[in-house]
mmCIF file of all heavy atoms in Angstrom:
data_model
loop_
_atom_site.group_PDB
_atom_site.id
_atom_site.type_symbol
_atom_site.label_atom_id
_atom_site.label_comp_id
_atom_site.label_asym_id
_atom_site.label_seq_id
_atom_site.Cartn_x
_atom_site.Cartn_y
_atom_site.Cartn_z
ATOM 1 N N GLY C 273 30.629 -32.882 -3.745
ATOM 2 C CA GLY C 273 30.244 -34.295 -3.816
ATOM 3 C C GLY C 273 30.862 -34.999 -5.003
ATOM 4 O O GLY C 273 31.365 -36.121 -4.892
ATOM 5 N N LEU C 274 30.852 -34.330 -6.142
ATOM 6 C CA LEU C 274 31.447 -34.921 -7.345
ATOM 7 C C LEU C 274 32.960 -35.071 -7.195
ATOM 8 O O LEU C 274 33.533 -36.104 -7.557
ATOM 9 C CB LEU C 274 31.115 -34.085 -8.577
ATOM 10 C CG LEU C 274 31.651 -34.615 -9.904
ATOM 11 C CD1 LEU C 274 31.136 -36.016 -10.187
ATOM 12 C CD2 LEU C 274 31.287 -33.669 -11.029
ATOM 13 N N ILE C 275 33.608 -34.062 -6.628
ATOM 14 C CA ILE C 275 35.062 -34.137 -6.430
ATOM 15 C C ILE C 275 35.417 -35.276 -5.460
ATOM 16 O O ILE C 275 36.342 -36.051 -5.711
ATOM 17 C CB ILE C 275 35.616 -32.777 -5.940
ATOM 18 C CG1 ILE C 275 35.510 -31.753 -7.067
ATOM 19 C CG2 ILE C 275 37.048 -32.915 -5.453
ATOM 20 C CD1 ILE C 275 35.725 -30.314 -6.630
ATOM 21 N N LEU C 276 34.657 -35.395 -4.378
ATOM 22 C CA LEU C 276 34.882 -36.509 -3.445
ATOM 23 C C LEU C 276 34.623 -37.849 -4.124
ATOM 24 O O LEU C 276 35.366 -38.810 -3.924
ATOM 25 C CB LEU C 276 33.990 -36.366 -2.211
ATOM 26 C CG LEU C 276 34.380 -35.280 -1.221
ATOM 27 C CD1 LEU C 276 33.309 -35.126 -0.141
ATOM 28 C CD2 LEU C 276 35.718 -35.586 -0.593
ATOM 29 N N GLY C 277 33.574 -37.903 -4.932
ATOM 30 C CA GLY C 277 33.270 -39.128 -5.668
ATOM 31 C C GLY C 277 34.394 -39.517 -6.609
ATOM 32 O O GLY C 277 34.771 -40.689 -6.692
ATOM 33 N N LEU C 278 34.917 -38.532 -7.316
ATOM 34 C CA LEU C 278 36.048 -38.806 -8.216
ATOM 35 C C LEU C 278 37.259 -39.318 -7.437
ATOM 36 O O LEU C 278 37.940 -40.255 -7.864
ATOM 37 C CB LEU C 278 36.416 -37.546 -9.004
ATOM 38 C CG LEU C 278 35.446 -37.149 -10.125
ATOM 39 C CD1 LEU C 278 35.747 -35.728 -10.598
ATOM 40 C CD2 LEU C 278 35.525 -38.136 -11.268
ATOM 41 N N GLY C 279 37.521 -38.695 -6.292
ATOM 42 C CA GLY C 279 38.650 -39.130 -5.458
ATOM 43 C C GLY C 279 38.471 -40.548 -4.936
ATOM 44 O O GLY C 279 39.401 -41.362 -4.980
ATOM 45 N N LEU C 280 37.260 -40.859 -4.460
ATOM 46 C CA LEU C 280 37.005 -42.212 -3.956
ATOM 47 C C LEU C 280 37.045 -43.238 -5.087
ATOM 48 O O LEU C 280 37.555 -44.348 -4.906
ATOM 49 C CB LEU C 280 35.652 -42.254 -3.241
ATOM 50 C CG LEU C 280 35.597 -41.498 -1.913
ATOM 51 C CD1 LEU C 280 34.167 -41.449 -1.389
ATOM 52 C CD2 LEU C 280 36.519 -42.148 -0.891
ATOM 53 N N ALA C 281 36.518 -42.854 -6.250
ATOM 54 C CA ALA C 281 36.583 -43.761 -7.404
ATOM 55 C C ALA C 281 38.040 -44.015 -7.793
ATOM 56 O O ALA C 281 38.416 -45.147 -8.121
ATOM 57 C CB ALA C 281 35.802 -43.180 -8.579
ATOM 58 N N ALA C 282 38.869 -42.975 -7.743
ATOM 59 C CA ALA C 282 40.288 -43.140 -8.067
ATOM 60 C C ALA C 282 40.965 -44.075 -7.070
ATOM 61 O O ALA C 282 41.829 -44.873 -7.448
ATOM 62 C CB ALA C 282 40.984 -41.783 -8.085
ATOM 63 N N LEU C 283 40.565 -43.998 -5.804
ATOM 64 C CA LEU C 283 41.144 -44.897 -4.795
ATOM 65 C C LEU C 283 40.830 -46.356 -5.085
ATOM 66 O O LEU C 283 41.617 -47.245 -4.744
ATOM 67 C CB LEU C 283 40.653 -44.524 -3.395
ATOM 68 C CG LEU C 283 41.261 -43.270 -2.774
ATOM 69 C CD1 LEU C 283 40.599 -42.966 -1.432
ATOM 70 C CD2 LEU C 283 42.762 -43.423 -2.609
ATOM 71 N N THR C 284 39.682 -46.613 -5.715
ATOM 72 C CA THR C 284 39.347 -48.012 -6.007
ATOM 73 C C THR C 284 40.299 -48.612 -7.029
ATOM 74 O O THR C 284 40.421 -49.836 -7.118
ATOM 75 C CB THR C 284 37.898 -48.173 -6.520
ATOM 76 O OG1 THR C 284 37.760 -47.565 -7.812
ATOM 77 C CG2 THR C 284 36.902 -47.592 -5.541
#
Side-chain angles (χ1 to χ4, degrees):
L274 181 58
I275 291 167
L276 287 173
L278 286 167
L280 290 172
L283 285 176
T284 67

